Amino acid sequence: MGSSAYNTVGYPPTQSYTNYDGRSVNESNAYKNAAPCPTLFVANLGPNASEQELNQVFSRCHGFLKLKMQSTYGAPVAFVDFKDTACSTEALSHLQGTLLYSSPGEGMRLEYAKSRMGMRSKKSK
């Protein structure tokens, strides 16, 4: 599935820049924080970003299951769950840097979440 499928609703990807090793800046930063996981962490959202808008973007991705948005500590962030790691990896590579209508600026920053949505271990008190 090409990235052009995501551009038809007005969500163009941001311009891609290249590092000295030939990889795009977005690609090199996307995978550094966590091991591949079926859940993606979405940041760099504007204060007016909505769950509905994010659902419109991510529901087009193969294997999309659910999305949860949080804005407890200031800027909103979201977690997006997919059927498996292959689906989340495909979404990450296609949507990294995508601009939202509600979030002018650099575009979304996507990373693998530290754990799968709803599977975080509870620490005993």
Side-chain angles (χ1 to χ4, degrees), residues 48-67:
N48 298 321
S50 69
E51 197 164 321
Q52 179 183 4
E53 183 179 26
L54 290 174
N55 265 313
Q56 287 177 341
V57 173
F58 286 100
S59 65
R60 297 167 182 234
C61 298
H62 178 71
F64 171 79
L65 296 175
K66 61 186 172 184
L67 178 140

Side-chain angles (χ1 to χ4, degrees), residues 27-91:
E27 178 185 335
S28 63
N29 291 334
Y31 305 100
K32 70 178 182 179
N33 292 334
C37 172
T39 301
L40 295 179
F41 171 75
V42 183
N44 204 28
L45 300 172
N48 298 321
S50 69
E51 197 164 321
Q52 179 183 4
E53 183 179 26
L54 290 174
N55 265 313
Q56 287 177 341
V57 173
F58 286 100
S59 65
R60 297 167 182 234
C61 298
H62 178 71
F64 171 79
L65 296 175
K66 61 186 172 184
L67 178 140
K68 180 169 176 67
M69 198 168 170
Q70 298 176 344
S71 58
T72 309
Y73 302 107
V77 297
F79 293 90
V80 185
D81 199 29
F82 291 89
K83 182 177 74 171
D84 55 31
T85 303
C87 293
S88 66
T89 299
E90 181 181 346

